[in-house]
Amino acid sequence: MNSAIRTGLVVGKFWPPHWGHQLLLETAAAQVAELVVLVYANPDSARHPAAVRAEWLRALYRGDELADGPCIGATPLRVFALSAAADGVPPDAADDHTQREFVKQWLARQGMQVDVVFSSEAYGPGFAAHLGVAHVEVDAARALVPVSGTLARANPAAAARYLHPLVAAQLGAVPPAPVPRVVLLGAESSGKSTLCEALAQACGTAWVPEYGRTLHEQKNGNLDFDDLLYIARRHAELEDEAAERARGVLFCDTNAATTALYSYYYFHRCDPALQAMAAVCGQRYAHTFVCAPTVPFEQDGWRGPEALRSFQHGAILMQLDFYGIPYTLVEGTVTERVAQVRTALGDGLVQR
């Protein structure tokens, strides 16, 4: 980071945020001590207005702790959602001077001073000059990430490969995967983690542990409401990372739909972004298996009472039926369950 550059600025619609936006933000954050991001459009999206898109950005860049807000690396990210009603955002069709002066005046009202503008658009140099600051261009030719918000809105399915899974889900799309994903669901102490690991070993491939369990232990069981969306986001990222080294198939312990169930269980509500991630689980996974809660219950200090298993099992089955997701119930010993999964998937998918 250049210590002489204190605050960077990025402005945009982020409608929706895509990997090009994330490249811009991450490139900028590497060069400043603080990054200010303004999200706005006029007319704005009725379904996903600026305030919602700003929350997506905050969700994409939070870590295990929320105390210091979203960050990119060590750089704090300050995201502001602006609107025509509250902030006087000019129409998108307004001339360049009007657009530039609007931002200049908004910054002045907030008492903010920026040192550099980062952009991937042709307006960038003139905008920075109007503010009297430096300009840094990032992939304006779209050579690194060949996508735009316009393309993503027009065809979310085709653009999904350039969207983070959290964002893609809001548009009802799922990024393509290098290998099919198979997800194992089940109540607490139903053997799904053991089975997931055994399947990966039997098939010579990778598997993804349940990230919610990891964070639950890290926070000594004290999860916050915002942690549930973070769990789903981080688990999806870990799946994508593991998919790159998987052979033929990737086994996944739990999915966003189960995380949504826990959100309702603990907090009696669920973030709309998490609801959207749960809703596309039928598209994200090639096959869903549910572990019957018939193995001996093991209380490891993190689980609820054994009596809760039956309710959890029923809730999972109800949710799968609600979403119209086909599933296969597996029972018996670990060896028997491995055989049942391999038979259901077929030798072509899981052959070592």
Side-chain angles (χ1 to χ4, degrees), residues 211-297:
Y211 181 73
R213 171 62 182 260
T214 300
L215 188 64
H216 187 71
E217 293 182 8
Q218 287 178 1
K219 300 192 70 172
N220 198 30
N222 298 313
L223 293 179
D224 299 316
F225 173 72
D226 290 329
D227 288 328
L228 277 296
L229 175 58
Y230 174 65
I231 286 168
R233 187 213 98 193
R234 188 70 191 114
H235 189 88
E237 292 171 348
L238 293 172
E239 286 185 1
D240 288 349
E241 293 168 12
E244 298 298 330
R245 63 178 184 275
R247 297 178 55 196
V249 63
L250 175 67
F251 293 103
C252 306
D253 179 353
T254 308
N255 62 11
T258 296
T259 303
L261 278 180
Y262 276 106
S263 183
Y264 283 109
Y265 175 71
Y266 286 119
F267 303 103
H268 305 161
R269 58 194 176 109
C270 185
D271 191 296
L274 176 52
Q275 292 175 350
M277 293 186 74
V280 298
C281 283
Q283 300 168 247
R284 184 171 177 84
Y285 302 96
H287 205 118
T288 298
F289 292 90
V290 179
C291 295
T294 52
V295 298
F297 182 80

Side-chain angles (χ1 to χ4, degrees), residues 13-18 21 53 56 148-150 152-153 163 167 171:
K13 295 179 181 178
F14 297 93
W15 184 7
H18 51 67
H21 290 130
R53 303 194 302 274
W56 295 348
S148 68
T150 301
R153 292 193 299 274
L163 304 176
V167 176
L171 307 179

Side-chain angles (χ1 to χ4, degrees), residues 37-52:
V37 182
L38 305 186
V39 182
Y40 62 88
N42 183 10
D44 205 354
S45 168
R47 181 183 177 193
H48 302 128
V52 170

Side-chain angles (χ1 to χ4, degrees), residues 20-341:
H21 290 130
Q22 293 192 245
L23 173 65
L24 173 63
L25 295 175
E26 291 160 18
T27 300
Q31 301 179 48
V32 297
E34 176 186 63
L35 186 60
V36 174
V37 182
L38 305 186
V39 182
Y40 62 88
N42 183 10
D44 205 354
S45 168
R47 181 183 177 193
H48 302 128
V52 170
R53 303 194 302 274
E55 280 302 316
W56 295 348
L57 290 177
R58 296 185 189 104
L60 289 174
Y61 289 110
R62 68 148 286 190
D64 288 357
E65 298 296 336
L66 280 173
D68 298 322
C71 293
I72 300 178
T75 302
L77 188 67
R78 301 180 64 190
V79 184
F80 299 88
L82 311 184
S83 71
D87 304 285
V89 170
D92 293 346
D95 61 83
D96 287 346
H97 177 81
T98 300
Q99 300 286 0
R100 296 165 182 173
E101 189 63 18
F102 163 72
V103 175
K104 184 176 182 178
Q105 293 302 320
W106 187 90
L107 292 171
R109 290 196 299 272
Q110 310 307 313
M112 290 185 186
Q113 291 186 335
V114 300
D115 303 287
V116 56
V117 166
F118 295 85
S119 80
S120 300
E121 305 289 346
Y123 69 75
F127 174 45
H130 189 86
L131 298 182
V133 302
H135 175 255
V136 175
E137 180 182 285
V138 180
D139 195 30
R142 304 292 192 273
L144 298 178
V145 187
V147 70
S148 68
T150 301
L151 292 174
R153 292 193 299 274
N155 193 339
R161 67 180 65 249
Y162 302 114
L163 304 176
H164 187 286
L166 184 151
V167 176
Q170 315 312 307
L171 307 179
V174 174
V179 296
R181 293 181 172 93
V182 171
V183 64
L184 277 70
L185 307 179
E188 292 179 345
S189 191
S190 61
K192 60 184 175 57
S193 298
T194 299
L195 178 58
C196 213
E197 184 175 13
L199 282 164
Q201 183 176 1
C203 300
T205 189
W207 72 289
V208 183
E210 179 184 359
Y211 181 73
R213 171 62 182 260
T214 300
L215 188 64
H216 187 71
E217 293 182 8
Q218 287 178 1
K219 300 192 70 172
N220 198 30
N222 298 313
L223 293 179
D224 299 316
F225 173 72
D226 290 329
D227 288 328
L228 277 296
L229 175 58
Y230 174 65
I231 286 168
R233 187 213 98 193
R234 188 70 191 114
H235 189 88
E237 292 171 348
L238 293 172
E239 286 185 1
D240 288 349
E241 293 168 12
E244 298 298 330
R245 63 178 184 275
R247 297 178 55 196
V249 63
L250 175 67
F251 293 103
C252 306
D253 179 353
T254 308
N255 62 11
T258 296
T259 303
L261 278 180
Y262 276 106
S263 183
Y264 283 109
Y265 175 71
Y266 286 119
F267 303 103
H268 305 161
R269 58 194 176 109
C270 185
D271 191 296
L274 176 52
Q275 292 175 350
M277 293 186 74
V280 298
C281 283
Q283 300 168 247
R284 184 171 177 84
Y285 302 96
H287 205 118
T288 298
F289 292 90
V290 179
C291 295
T294 52
V295 298
F297 182 80
E298 295 183 11
Q299 179 53 266
D300 59 5
W302 300 103
R303 293 168 175 152
E306 181 176 2
L308 187 61
R309 283 204 305 178
S310 179
F311 173 79
Q312 290 174 333
H313 181 67
I316 289 168
L317 298 183
M318 180 186 71
Q319 188 185 50
L320 291 171
D321 288 341
F322 177 82
Y323 284 127
I325 300 175
Y327 63 89
T328 300
L329 188 68
V330 292
E331 303 182 81
T333 66
V334 174
T335 300
E336 291 170 337
R337 293 182 178 200
V338 167
Q340 290 166 30
V341 171

